[in-house]
Amino acid sequence: MNHKYFIFMTWFLILSGCTFDFTGKESTPENEVGIKLQRVNSCPELTTYIKSIIKLEQENMGGYYRDFGGDAAVMTTGEQESSSDESMSATDYSTTNIQEEGVDEADFVKNDGSHIYVLNNGRLFIIDAWPPEDVVIISKTDLEGYATEMFVHNDKVLIFSSVDFDVVKERFNIPDETTKGDVETAQFMPSVIWRSITKVTILDITDKTTPRLERETYLEADYLDSRMINDTVHFVGNSHIYEPFYYNGCISYTDGGGEISLLSGDAESGFSPIISEEDTSISIEESCITQDEYLLLLEEKLAEIDYNDLLPKYYDIIYGDEGEVVSQDVICLCDNFYKPEAVNGKDLITILSFNLNSREFNSTAIIGQWGTVYASTDALYLASYNFDYWINELEDSETTEEYSSVHKFDISSDPDEAVYIASGKVPGQILNQFSMSEYNGFLRVATTENQNWQTGEDAKNNIFVLGQNGTSLDIAGSIMGLAPTERIYSARFMKEKGYVVTFRQVDPIFTIDLADPYNPQVIGELKVPGFSTYLHPMGDDHILAIGRDATDEGRVEGLKLSIFDVSDFANPSLLHEIIIGQEWGADSEASYNHKAFNYFAEKDLLAIPLSYYNWDDYLSEDQNFSGLVVFNVTTSDGIKELGRIDHQDLFTIDLEYKNCYYNAGVNRSIIMDDYVYSLSEWGIKANLLPDLNEVNELNYPDSDQQSFYFCSYAIE
């Protein structure tokens, strides 16, 4: 993910008011009113509901938002023929690191022990990777837009990409609805200037040298997450309601909202800036109308439009022997929409289920807030963080409530559809997908309350066990107030056991007995300096962790790997640890993205990306590194570094500057038998274990290496 884009969108959504509870109602964990979802019975009912929350938001907030998209056609080109036998493959090989067995997670690298599939710079490379001495690209498929993640299953590849809306308009002959008309006259315009588009591309790779295009589906949605179980991919996307906005003029809000103006220059971009009364750098037009006048105009405009104007769409092309089948419609039919009992924002979260062997797909949508996705083989859960601070501020309320709503969807009764079945809520905020886990029909959830952006004196942590009771997810058991003043940095649930790491000055790791869902208990605790951000099982009795070291005063220092012995569940102990780089500058993608953490138990190996940089000595290779580091990891001998793999020599562009390798580091690895493959932006290397002697290397053709020119420093 583009982190600058993420930060911008986070603040944009906060300022626009489109992801918060607009009711201002106080609720309690015991009172589930407002959390349960109700099925919409008809398109008129859905239209009425959407229009009501548009008006409610404007009355309370005066907020605006806009949608954003990606960029630009699908062309397949064959490369070299493979010199290896198609049947040859490694005996043992690592795959994407996933949370739950049987639930695959998308990534930009996949492999099957014989071929490596890589998304790189808008292309899908299929690489014959076995044996490593004969590594060769056998096909290259140019992809439309910016390809991010994919699944590979039974000779099918499903790829997610971000595509510009202009591409969709051109391919499907969508009329330009952004015509401004008379710019001297204030008027309402449709909110369609920007639309986020996620494209789903399905390729048949029965012949891996010539992938064949099967399907292109454009979704007016941002990609949130996805899972694949057997032949079905469940995509979770976030969309916005396309409400009209007021063009060429300004609206004066009386409740502290200041004045909002869409000036002629901003109209081209479709963004309506929020202007404070003190801001004199932007000239506000004199033709302001009052908020009440605006609401009357909005009421008239909404009366003219129906659900087709308000809801996001999909655009679909299926390729077959008979030709192309083209279709388009709303992304989800009205009778498969769900709304909360109490208004809780106006984002649209859609679950689309694609069976790779079918031409149909199913969709279910809820009106609410986007959040964290977790899935078992039986159910998919969406956990949304709800903090009603902004609406309470508007209503001068002194009480706020911080909680996460959890919605459960059945994906086992009909594997090709996610069917909403129940909802519940828990106090606090969920960190990530590993803070949730389903076991024997119960969902375990770890939360932190009162984080206040940074850990505060009032912070506390909880463990909840939720059980389904009809359409409710009720709290069956809980542990409240764990590690006061700290916050959760990592969690992992493994069958009847749970592990939670909190941090403020030291790193307590708690062991939790979940055998009785109605009576979860903290069994043991171990305090060590630093904290762990990801926990990975090493059998039943040990935990392998990555995180950071810290002083006794809580000052964060270098990257750290640890092995915890939990065989005595009441008395966990630190068995081994190793510090990689003493300074904060040492970092690894594996510390915040589990897909970069490659622990291969069959070979007692761990491979992770590693980078560190010394600004005072940027020309010294000893002080700077960006590549892959490989460890031998055992409970008896600890964590022993085997060596490091650097891709600097794959940087082939002829520059008068050096040290560009710092931003061209390795981000994934694959282990096949006695070889480790490291993958970076520029290519792949195969190294023999355990000494890491290089066996082969491969450059991706036409890599955009010039874009990393800025990272270089001149040699004096």
Side-chain angles (χ1 to χ4, degrees), residues 144 239 288 396 530 688:
E144 190 175 54
S239 306
C288 277
D396 298 322
L688 180 65

Side-chain angles (χ1 to χ4, degrees), residues 529 583 674:
E583 303 299 329
D674 294 324

Side-chain angles (χ1 to χ4, degrees), residues 76-301:
T76 303
T77 58
E79 295 291 315
Q80 303 177 49
E81 291 293 333
S82 170
S83 60
S84 64
D85 189 325
E86 184 74 21
S87 64
M88 296 180 65
S89 64
T91 303
D92 296 314
Y93 56 92
S94 62
T95 56
T96 302
N97 183 20
I98 59 177
Q99 181 179 4
E100 299 287 359
E101 184 177 356
V103 184
D104 197 10
E105 301 180 29
D107 199 6
F108 64 86
V109 175
K110 293 288 182 177
N111 91 98
D112 56 16
S114 175
H115 296 87
I116 296 175
Y117 310 84
V118 182
L119 296 176
N120 174 269
N121 196 26
R123 301 160 297 179
L124 168 67
F125 290 107
I126 300 182
I127 299 160
D128 191 336
W130 194 261
E133 294 83 2
D134 300 325
V135 172
V136 61
I137 297 173
I138 59 174
S139 68
K140 179 186 72 173
T141 303
D142 295 327
L143 301 167
E144 190 175 54
Y146 177 67
T148 55
E149 294 188 326
M150 65 178 165
F151 291 103
V152 178
H153 179 68
N154 286 350
D155 289 330
K156 297 288 180 70
V157 180
L158 184 147
I159 301 168
F160 298 108
S161 306
S162 175
V163 178
D164 192 86
F165 182 51
D166 287 340
V167 174
V168 180
K169 287 169 62 178
E170 182 177 346
R171 293 198 70 180
F172 294 88
N173 299 315
I174 300 172
D176 188 355
E177 301 176 20
T178 63
T179 302
K180 305 301 185 299
D182 183 0
V183 296
E184 300 300 324
T185 305
Q187 57 188 298
F188 276 97
M189 301 302 298
S191 176
V192 295
I193 294 178
W194 276 325
R195 296 189 186 187
S196 295
I197 300 293
T198 296
K199 181 182 179 183
V200 176
T201 303
I202 300 179
L203 301 172
D204 184 309
I205 55 168
T206 303
D207 180 356
K208 293 178 175 54
T209 64
T210 311
R212 181 174 58 86
L213 183 60
E214 275 198 355
R215 185 173 199 162
E216 296 175 284
T217 305
Y218 300 83
L219 308 167
E220 292 182 355
D222 289 306
Y223 176 88
L224 285 182
D225 213 334
S226 60
R227 296 292 189 273
M228 182 173 72
I229 302 170
N230 298 322
D231 296 324
T232 303
V233 172
H234 301 283
F235 160 84
V236 184
N238 181 63
S239 306
H240 304 300
I241 294 170
Y242 296 141
E243 66 178 279
F245 68 91
Y246 190 60
Y247 167 70
N248 193 35
C250 68
I251 307 162
S252 178
Y253 288 92
T254 58
D255 295 329
E259 292 179 328
I260 296 179
S261 175
L262 186 57
L263 306 177
S264 58
D266 301 305
E268 297 302 322
S269 65
F271 178 69
S272 178
I274 295 179
I275 303 173
S276 66
E277 295 177 357
E278 295 80 15
D279 191 344
T280 59
S281 63
I282 303 177
S283 174
I284 301 178
E285 301 205 10
E286 296 179 357
S287 58
C288 277
I289 61 175
T290 66
Q291 182 180 9
D292 290 341
E293 290 173 326
Y294 167 72
L295 291 173
L296 288 174
L297 291 173
L298 178 63
E299 183 100 31
E300 294 176 4
K301 185 63 180 178

Side-chain angles (χ1 to χ4, degrees), residues 316-526:
D316 194 32
I317 306 174
I318 297 176
Y319 301 89
D321 296 336
E322 311 82 25
E324 300 178 6
V325 178
V326 181
S327 62
Q328 63 184 69
D329 203 343
V330 292
I331 202 169
C332 183
L333 298 179
C334 297
D335 59 359
N336 221 16
F337 263 87
Y338 292 84
K339 62 181 182 179
E341 293 177 346
V343 177
N344 186 29
K346 59 179 184 180
D347 280 2
L348 305 180
I349 302 93
T350 307
I351 304 173
L352 292 102
S353 302
F354 292 84
N355 186 305
L356 294 175
N357 302 315
S358 171
R359 290 192 166 201
E360 305 297 326
F361 69 83
N362 296 299
S363 57
T364 301
I366 65 175
I367 303 173
Q369 300 186 77
W370 54 271
T372 302
V373 175
Y374 162 79
S376 67
T377 55
D378 295 326
L380 185 146
Y381 294 85
L382 175 71
S384 300
Y385 179 56
N386 299 267
F387 188 36
D388 52 7
Y389 171 81
W390 293 90
I391 191 66
N392 283 321
E393 282 292 299
L394 288 173
E395 298 187 353
D396 298 322
S397 171
E398 296 182 357
T399 62
T400 61
E401 185 191 2
E402 181 188 21
Y403 66 91
S404 293
S405 57
V406 182
H407 304 298
K408 180 180 180 180
F409 299 84
D410 177 19
I411 54 175
S412 61
S413 300
D414 181 353
D416 296 337
E417 183 176 12
V419 179
Y420 168 73
I421 52 176
S423 295
K425 71 175 183 178
V426 292
Q429 184 172 3
I430 294 170
L431 177 64
N432 55 33
Q433 67 185 67
F434 291 96
S435 293
M436 295 183 283
S437 178
E438 186 184 70
Y439 184 68
N440 286 344
F442 289 89
L443 180 71
R444 292 81 64 85
V445 182
T447 70
T448 298
E449 292 184 77
N450 304 321
Q451 292 193 54
N452 297 323
W453 302 102
Q454 298 291 332
T455 300
E457 294 295 333
D458 296 329
K460 58 182 178 180
N461 308 285
N462 313 305
I463 307 295
F464 300 100
V465 182
L466 303 181
Q468 184 178 343
N469 179 19
T471 59
S472 295
L473 295 177
D474 294 337
I475 297 175
S478 64
I479 299 170
M480 304 293 291
L482 188 67
T485 76
E486 301 182 0
R487 72 173 178 89
I488 292 174
Y489 273 71
S490 60
R492 193 75 188 246
F493 299 99
M494 305 169 193
K495 296 182 179 179
E496 296 180 347
K497 297 180 179 179
Y499 305 91
V500 172
V501 170
T502 61
F503 176 73
R504 189 178 182 192
Q505 284 186 296
V506 294
D507 171 6
I509 179 170
F510 296 94
T511 57
I512 300 164
D513 184 357
L514 298 162
D516 181 358
Y518 299 95
N519 187 31
Q521 295 185 357
V522 175
I523 300 299
E525 177 184 356
L526 171 68

